[in-house]
Amino acid sequence: MEKETSLTKAIFTAKCPRCRKGSIFPVSLYSFRKLTEVNQNCPHCGVELVPEPDFYYGAMYVSYALSVALFISVMVALNVLFDDPELMAYILSVLFFNILLLPIMLRISKVLYLYGVGKISYEPQK
């Protein structure tokens, strides 16, 4: 018997919400070509991963929330690590981490949006 994938692992590895085996994205995270393109259907169970046209536009709000959380985290870390850093240190740090984590945030926002709003329930036997 095959071990079931946990919800957290399925989200962070971008697996299908129904079977948690098929990949949501056709290319890996490290491939910058078609980085945010989503498979139309799950390669394992065949469930439709794009429920309607322009479905993933709502993921922009999730991405925005992740960017705000990153901004606040960087600001707090700079304040804790350094005593009253310059304004330019804040700006450059936030820009650096936003650019560095952009591919991850773009993908995880789509995955979270699909899991939260996609109305696809987990069926382990698929």
Side-chain angles (χ1 to χ4, degrees), residues 5-124:
T5 306
S6 71
L7 175 63
T8 306
K9 184 177 179 184
I11 289 173
F12 283 108
T13 57
K15 297 298 180 186
C16 169
R18 177 174 283 165
C19 66
R20 295 184 185 167
K21 293 181 181 144
S23 182
I24 294 175
F25 299 99
V27 296
S28 75
L29 177 65
Y30 303 109
S31 170
F32 289 103
R33 293 185 65 211
K34 302 179 182 179
L35 179 67
T36 61
E37 187 175 301
V38 175
N39 285 325
Q40 285 294 109
N41 297 312
C42 172
H44 186 265
C45 70
V47 71
E48 191 172 2
L49 297 174
V50 184
E52 59 189 53
D54 301 331
F55 172 75
Y56 289 101
Y57 280 159
M60 289 186 301
Y61 297 106
V62 178
S63 181
Y64 176 73
L66 292 173
S67 291
V68 169
L70 177 66
F71 175 80
I72 291 170
S73 300
V74 168
M75 299 292 270
V76 168
L78 285 175
N79 279 325
V80 169
L81 295 174
F82 304 104
D83 187 34
D84 195 27
E86 295 288 324
L87 177 62
M88 194 53 73
Y90 287 120
I91 294 170
L92 291 176
S93 298
V94 168
L95 280 174
F96 173 76
F97 284 108
N98 259 312
I99 291 169
L100 181 70
L101 297 174
L102 182 68
I104 295 169
M105 290 194 312
L106 287 174
R107 280 199 167 195
I108 201 71
S109 65
K110 284 189 174 189
V111 172
L112 289 172
Y113 192 73
L114 178 64
Y115 270 80
V117 183
K119 297 180 183 173
I120 301 172
S121 56
Y122 178 54
E123 296 178 20

